[in-house]
Amino acid sequence: MSKVLEVTPPIKSSPDKFYDFFKYHTGDLITVFPASFKSVQILEGEDGKVGCVKLWNYFIGGIPMTMKLRTEAINDAEKSITYKALDGDVIKLYKDFQFTITPGNGVAKWTIVYEKAAELVPPPEIYGVFAIAITEVVDLHLLNLTH
């Protein structure tokens, strides 16, 4: 049974710019947030399109991880993008793991939908903390671009 974890960290940049970053420029995370993101490779499709599949190498909690992510849905009217994990370390813990980013006025809402692979697996709270850190770094980056 799927469960939901939501975090809504504040943002000062415009929702349009924040949305645009996650739609077209997620690869920039390796230069914007090099402490956590080591590499990204497009395996299928193209940035900004549903079906784009990327392989990410990143660190979470100091542990090196990989995740193959597919862009599942893009809703320009609502400024929301949904990604689904297809493979990688997260799939060892969760048989289903997807997240949606929806920036609004003053907040970036991250909705993580997951299903544990086993009863003893903890909720993916570390990914909620990671989403907050990503939001802070991207927001600061976007604010610096406009000054």
Side-chain angles (χ1 to χ4, degrees):
M1 188 164 103
S2 290
K3 296 188 176 177
V4 176
L5 172 69
E6 272 188 14
V7 294
T8 53
I11 58 171
K12 292 181 181 152
S13 56
S14 83
D16 288 336
K17 287 183 180 175
F18 201 86
Y19 174 70
D20 186 64
F21 181 90
F22 282 95
K23 185 173 179 182
Y24 297 110
H25 304 289
T26 53
D28 290 353
L29 282 168
I30 17 185
T31 52
V32 172
F33 199 0
S36 290
F37 290 94
K38 296 305 170 192
S39 70
V40 61
Q41 177 183 1
I42 294 179
L43 302 177
E44 293 174 31
E46 62 181 274
D47 257 344
K49 304 269 191 221
V50 170
C52 180
V53 177
K54 294 180 181 178
L55 178 62
W56 291 91
N57 287 294
Y58 61 101
F59 283 83
I60 191 165
I63 300 165
M65 309 281 263
T66 63
M67 187 187 303
K68 189 190 283 187
L69 267 187
R70 179 177 59 218
T71 305
E72 284 288 292
I74 296 172
N75 185 324
D76 289 331
E78 293 180 7
K79 293 187 193 75
S80 72
I81 304 172
T82 301
Y83 300 95
K84 180 178 180 63
L86 302 177
D87 201 358
D89 295 300
V90 74
I91 296 301
K92 295 173 186 169
L93 298 173
Y94 308 100
K95 50 185 165 183
D96 184 34
F97 187 90
Q98 60 183 3
F99 59 95
T100 302
I101 304 166
T102 312
N105 288 326
V107 296
K109 180 177 167 188
W110 294 69
T111 306
I112 301 170
V113 178
Y114 64 96
E115 187 175 348
K116 296 179 185 182
E119 193 57 42
L120 295 176
V121 170
E125 290 172 1
I126 193 162
Y127 280 93
V129 172
F130 195 37
I132 292 168
I134 292 167
T135 300
E136 290 170 352
V137 170
V138 169
D139 191 42
L140 190 59
H141 167 72
L142 294 172
L143 289 170
N144 285 337
L145 287 179
T146 58
H147 289 99

